Amino acid sequence: MRKLLLGTIAGLLMVLPISAAAEPADTAGRPARPLTVMTYNIHHGAGYDGVLDLERIAVLIEKSGADVIGLQEVDRHWSERSNWVDQPAWFAKRLKMHYGYAANLDLPPLNPGEPNRQYGTAILSRYPIKDFTNTLLPMYPGQEQRGLAVATIKVRGAELRFANTHLTHNNNAERMEQAQKVVEILGTSKKPTMLVGDLNARPDAPEIKTMTALLADTWVEVGTGPGYTSPAENPTARIDYLLHSRQVTPKKAAVPVSPASDHLPVVASYTIR
């Protein structure tokens, strides 16, 4: 992990018009709101093969059928490593989705008049995003700033609170404080809620148990096999998660294989009550 300077924290919410789909009903006549969700640490678009290619990530998202996606390690005019591209805007335009961007690192441009150099997380949605916030998580000296991005998404008449985060990778105590802050923020609402992201810890870690005491682990409920996501080339650890509240019912989950990042994504289908 490179050493990163910290700047002002910014959040960006952009929306693109999306046509509404017909709403199905369940056998009791109540509205059924199916939803497919993905979490993916995209490693600023660079695969484990060393190739920078946003298009293959976009194709992977399309093939998954995901309606809402939480992305981590997303660049916005960051540097040469990602060709200075505004990655969240690129994905939103390419996939015809709404998006929100949380710049946990926000540095001044190299040259006056250019956009700030930003790095953080993004939420893509096929459905309208009503609001979007980013809360800074606890950070120890010398560490990288992390955040919790939370969007309210209107899914066929139902409001879904969708949170996306990327916890620290190299300090267990710091990660525990971050997990406790996430629970503090998300535990105050009775709305259908999902938390997705690269949590950088295995399922038996105390910080993961802190979060799964509030939100259920989708993979445990409907996944098959170990669900390993890292490293992508030869995965041996499950550190990327989809967590959900009781108003969200999981149906199935999978880990698609792709060389497009140093992580593998996790995709699952749900019904929102």
Side-chain angles (χ1 to χ4, degrees):
M1 174 68 68
R2 63 195 182 286
K3 184 177 181 180
L4 295 170
L5 298 176
L6 300 181
T8 303
I9 307 303
L12 174 68
L13 171 63
M14 296 291 291
V15 294
L16 298 175
I18 304 291
S19 59
E23 185 173 291
D26 64 18
T27 54
R30 297 183 299 266
R33 300 175 178 94
L35 188 74
T36 300
V37 174
M38 171 188 282
T39 184
Y40 200 7
N41 181 326
I42 65 168
H43 192 230
H44 63 267
Y48 68 69
D49 55 6
V51 176
L52 178 70
D53 188 350
L54 298 185
E55 176 62 22
R56 64 180 172 180
I57 295 174
V59 170
L60 180 63
I61 292 172
E62 284 181 324
K63 289 183 177 179
S64 75
D67 302 301
V68 184
I69 305 100
L71 300 178
Q72 305 88 44
E73 294 196 15
V74 184
D75 283 0
R76 187 169 186 257
H77 310 298
W78 180 256
S79 71
E80 297 92 342
R81 73 178 186 184
S82 49
N83 293 330
W84 305 98
V85 169
D86 183 342
Q87 293 187 335
W90 187 94
F91 281 114
K93 182 177 181 181
R94 166 64 178 79
L95 296 167
K96 297 181 175 62
M97 288 185 170
H98 307 266
Y99 79 99
Y101 182 66
N104 294 315
L105 302 180
D106 187 7
L107 307 184
L110 296 181
N111 302 304
E114 294 179 347
N116 277 16
R117 296 175 289 138
Q118 298 179 327
Y119 173 79
T121 64
I123 293 173
L124 302 173
S125 175
R126 206 175 298 280
Y127 300 104
I129 297 175
K130 293 185 60 179
D131 57 59
F132 185 90
T133 62
N134 188 48
T135 302
L136 300 185
L137 298 177
M139 182 185 70
Y140 286 12
Q143 292 286 84
E144 178 184 318
Q145 182 66 66
R146 310 286 176 148
L148 178 71
V150 181
T152 301
I153 300 174
K154 197 77 168 182
V155 180
R156 297 176 178 173
E159 284 193 358
L160 171 70
R161 194 171 52 149
F162 188 88
N164 179 26
T165 194
H166 182 193
L167 302 187
T168 191
H169 71 292
N170 60 355
N171 189 304
N172 294 357
E174 181 186 27
R175 191 166 52 244
M176 173 58 87
E177 289 192 29
Q178 292 172 347
Q180 290 169 338
K181 184 64 176 180
V182 167
V183 168
E184 176 188 327
I185 294 169
L186 298 182
T188 59
S189 174
K190 296 181 180 180
K191 291 182 180 179
T193 299
M194 292 201 66
L195 169 66
V196 311
D198 175 1
L199 304 185
N200 268 318
R202 296 171 186 262
D204 59 351
E207 52 270 37
I208 299 300
K209 291 183 177 180
T210 294
M211 289 179 282
T212 55
L214 174 69
L215 300 169
D217 185 344
T218 296
W219 192 265
V220 170
E221 295 195 344
V222 297
T224 301
Y228 292 159
T229 57
S230 179
E233 189 170 9
N234 182 28
T236 57
R238 184 162 79 90
I239 62 174
D240 299 270
Y241 294 81
L242 299 170
L243 308 182
H244 63 274
S245 67
R246 59 181 178 80
Q247 301 95 335
V248 182
T249 304
K251 300 299 182 182
K252 60 181 179 179
V255 176
V257 176
S258 171
S261 174
D262 61 350
H263 285 237
L264 297 177
V266 185
V267 181
S269 60
Y270 302 86
T271 298
I272 299 175
R273 299 197 301 274

